[in-house]
Amino acid sequence: MGVEKIMSTKSTLWYLNDNNLKYEAVIKCLNEKKFSLNPEHYPDFSLVNKMQDQTLDLSGSEIRYNLFDYSIASTTGKRIHNQLIVFDQNDQIGFIVDKSKIGLHFIRALLGYDSSQKGVVIPAKRDDSFFDGRLFFWIISRIYYDESQIDFDSDDKNSSLEDASISFNSLDAVKGKTVASLNTVSTEGSDVIKMLTTLSFLLESDRLTEVSLAMTYKEHRNLKVELRSGSDLVGVGVDLDSYDGPYREQKIDDSVLRCELLLLTHLDLLPTIQILFNKNNSADENIKKKLAADIVDNMKSRLNKLGAE
């Protein structure tokens, strides 16, 4: 398990909690720029529709989406650009937005809601295992025990999954909370040192808050994803350069590729991982304890073997 510097995780998922506003009306409002943002918070704000009225099939569900580029002026004279994805999934309007800290206020302002209307934009609901570290430890344990390949089929009446598979190929980086502070594992040198540093960090971690890993999901190969858990949000970042799969074969530009990978990750991949986590009866608090004990036993065995040679 090599360790590299974690890249920034930028996007978060939100939903509209207002049945009076339809998807077409939201897109029309944004296209016609019928919004008023505070110029102090959004200097020289610009919103441009880069991809209009597109569709993407995810696990049998057709997603309608529009991709917007929004930008503001900066003190350096260069504009700061970010993405806003507005989508419709089974008549549920959602938003994937960069800059998670301002996501809620930004979407609410774009749609014309004031600060008193707090419940009209809500974060995507995720299972507690995302936030207490159990799911992240479970992923790492699958890699450690060489059980990264998980096949699932639609014959199970209690499962909403299609015939497919997922493989957690490698762990690139971790970040977590120890008793002392928040720490990021980052090393240089031999792979052995990287592995030992990673394992010792996992043993000391109270919970994991961020993982960066490469996986294969269905026909999507070398999908590198960064997952970050906050108080009530899961942030997602994707690596465009490494990805190999059907979206790449369409020869679309990077902004559209990132858009489709974020839709795939937020709306398809993460719910699937959650279902598999719960289905494997792994949702107990002893995942990290068992992993830590096995790591210690493994390292003792290896050191004793080296000492005997």
Side-chain angles (χ1 to χ4, degrees):
M1 294 188 291
V3 181
E4 300 172 357
K5 184 178 180 181
I6 285 186
M7 294 176 284
S8 62
T9 303
K10 293 183 177 180
S11 72
T12 49
L13 173 61
W14 306 82
Y15 286 105
L16 181 65
N17 188 31
D18 183 354
N19 294 329
N20 296 319
L21 196 56
K22 303 303 180 184
Y23 177 71
E24 291 79 10
V26 171
I27 300 303
K28 187 173 186 288
C29 170
L30 297 180
N31 283 337
E32 295 180 357
K33 306 187 188 318
K34 293 182 178 179
F35 48 79
S36 179
L37 299 182
N38 187 329
E40 292 185 5
H41 298 154
Y42 306 96
D44 194 21
F45 180 81
S46 173
L47 183 73
V48 178
N49 196 326
K50 304 290 288 186
M51 289 289 290
Q52 299 190 40
D53 303 326
Q54 300 297 304
T55 60
L56 188 68
D57 184 77
L58 296 177
S59 293
S61 176
E62 185 177 82
I63 310 296
R64 295 191 295 164
Y65 72 91
N66 279 246
L67 169 62
F68 294 88
D69 174 275
Y70 70 93
S71 62
I72 60 173
S74 71
T75 55
T76 63
K78 294 182 179 180
R79 297 193 66 80
I80 300 173
H81 290 264
N82 290 290
Q83 281 189 343
L84 168 67
I85 304 167
V86 186
F87 66 89
D88 175 25
Q89 182 182 29
N90 300 322
D91 295 324
Q92 173 68 70
I93 301 171
F95 310 86
I96 296 175
V97 62
D98 291 345
K99 302 295 183 184
S100 60
K101 290 183 179 180
I102 64 168
L104 171 61
H105 302 289
F106 173 60
I107 298 170
R108 200 160 57 193
L110 274 181
L111 299 180
Y113 298 108
D114 60 43
S115 58
S116 66
Q117 296 169 287
K118 298 183 182 301
V120 294
V121 178
I122 56 177
K125 183 174 178 56
R126 302 293 188 188
D127 190 88
D128 288 344
S129 60
F130 275 99
F131 305 108
D132 60 24
R134 283 176 296 147
L135 188 138
F136 291 169
F137 274 117
W138 174 72
I139 291 174
I140 293 171
S141 71
R142 301 292 304 208
I143 297 172
Y144 180 79
Y145 295 123
D146 196 21
E147 298 174 345
S148 61
Q149 179 77 30
I150 308 174
D151 297 312
F152 42 97
D153 61 69
S154 56
D155 293 335
D156 184 351
K157 294 181 180 180
N158 296 320
S159 174
S160 61
L161 302 176
E162 297 180 317
D163 291 345
S165 66
I166 187 171
S167 177
F168 303 118
N169 299 330
S170 66
L171 175 69
D172 294 329
V174 292
K175 185 175 181 179
K177 183 178 181 180
T178 62
V179 176
S181 63
L182 285 172
N183 292 301
T184 300
V185 177
S186 180
T187 64
E188 296 180 359
S190 71
D191 289 340
V192 173
I193 296 300
K194 289 182 179 181
M195 181 186 71
L196 292 174
T197 304
T198 304
L199 296 180
S200 65
F201 175 80
L202 292 174
L203 295 177
E204 295 175 3
S205 295
D206 176 47
R207 65 183 178 90
L208 298 184
T209 59
E210 193 168 342
V211 297
S212 177
L213 65 156
M215 65 184 76
T216 298
Y217 179 57
K218 300 179 179 177
E219 69 271 34
H220 304 281
R221 299 171 296 278
N222 204 27
L223 177 61
K224 288 192 175 183
V225 176
E226 304 150 11
L227 304 177
R228 176 187 299 166
S229 65
S231 58
D232 60 353
L233 292 171
V234 174
V236 171
V238 290
D239 184 348
L240 305 186
D241 293 335
S242 64
Y243 173 74
D244 180 22
Y247 300 163
R248 172 76 69 192
E249 293 160 8
Q250 297 170 11
K251 297 183 178 179
I252 52 183
D253 65 38
D254 282 353
S255 64
V256 179
L257 176 60
R258 180 176 186 266
C259 170
E260 294 191 344
L261 289 177
L262 288 176
L263 285 167
L264 170 72
T265 304
H266 277 290
L267 304 183
D268 191 359
L269 175 63
L270 293 193
T272 296
I273 291 175
Q274 183 64 65
I275 291 172
L276 293 174
F277 173 73
N278 293 328
K279 186 179 178 182
N280 280 267
N281 298 317
S282 300
D284 64 74
E285 298 179 356
N286 294 319
I287 295 174
K288 184 251 179 178
K289 186 180 295 185
K290 181 179 185 304
L291 178 63
D294 288 347
I295 288 173
V296 170
D297 290 343
N298 186 297
M299 295 309 299
K300 284 181 178 178
S301 175
R302 292 189 180 195
L303 289 174
N304 290 334
K305 183 177 179 180
L306 286 173
E309 292 179 354

